[in-house]
């Protein structure tokens, strides 16, 4: 029972950053001080979701399709977030 709850929490944390697209459409989502706060919160959420998914995969009791899907989604987020940071830093260097 505990494993199923952890799997659903992991999948929920992995899907939660998709709400950024909704917040981005709001007027407050693109104002200068708020956008930095939103990026920081979502960055922390993505990293926590990735670490949580890795912890679930390492445990044999919680290693199943849901935890693997959560890890895959979190890995895609990490890849795109790393690319976004790279492009932002590269644009500032030139």
């Amino acid at each position: 029972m505990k494993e199923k709850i952890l799997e659903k929490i992991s999948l929920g944390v992995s899907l939660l950053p998709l709400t950024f697209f909704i917040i981005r459409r709001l007027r407050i989502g693109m104002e200068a001080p708020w956008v930095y706060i939103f990026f920081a919160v979502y960055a922390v959420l993505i990293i926590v979701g990735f670490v949580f998914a890795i912890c679930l995969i390492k445990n044999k009791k919680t290693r199943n399709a849901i935890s693997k899907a959560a890890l895959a989604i979190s890995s895609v987020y990490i890849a795109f977030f790393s690319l976004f940071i790279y492009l932002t830093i590269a644009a500032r260097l030139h």
Side-chain angles (χ1 to χ4, degrees):
M1 184 69 171
K2 179 182 168 187
E3 291 85 15
K4 293 200 181 272
I5 294 172
L6 289 175
E7 294 163 3
K8 290 181 182 183
I9 290 172
S10 176
L11 190 60
V13 169
S14 295
L15 293 176
L16 197 59
L18 291 176
T19 61
F20 183 71
F21 295 113
I22 297 168
I23 291 173
R24 198 184 78 180
R25 302 264 181 196
L26 301 174
R27 193 180 90 206
I28 195 172
M30 291 324 259
E31 291 180 1
W34 289 104
V35 91
Y36 299 125
I37 294 169
F38 287 138
F39 273 125
V41 168
Y42 279 102
V44 169
L45 187 65
I46 287 169
I47 292 169
V48 167
F50 184 70
V51 171
F52 190 57
I54 287 175
C55 290
L56 285 179
I57 290 292
K58 287 178 77 174
N59 187 356
K60 291 186 181 192
K61 292 181 181 179
T62 57
R63 188 182 310 155
N64 60 16
I66 294 174
S67 59
K68 289 177 184 177
L71 181 64
I73 292 169
S74 294
S75 298
V76 170
Y77 288 148
I78 292 288
F80 281 121
F81 193 68
S82 300
L83 179 66
F84 175 75
I85 290 172
Y86 171 74
L87 292 175
T88 303
I89 292 171
R92 289 186 182 192
L93 292 176
H94 290 148

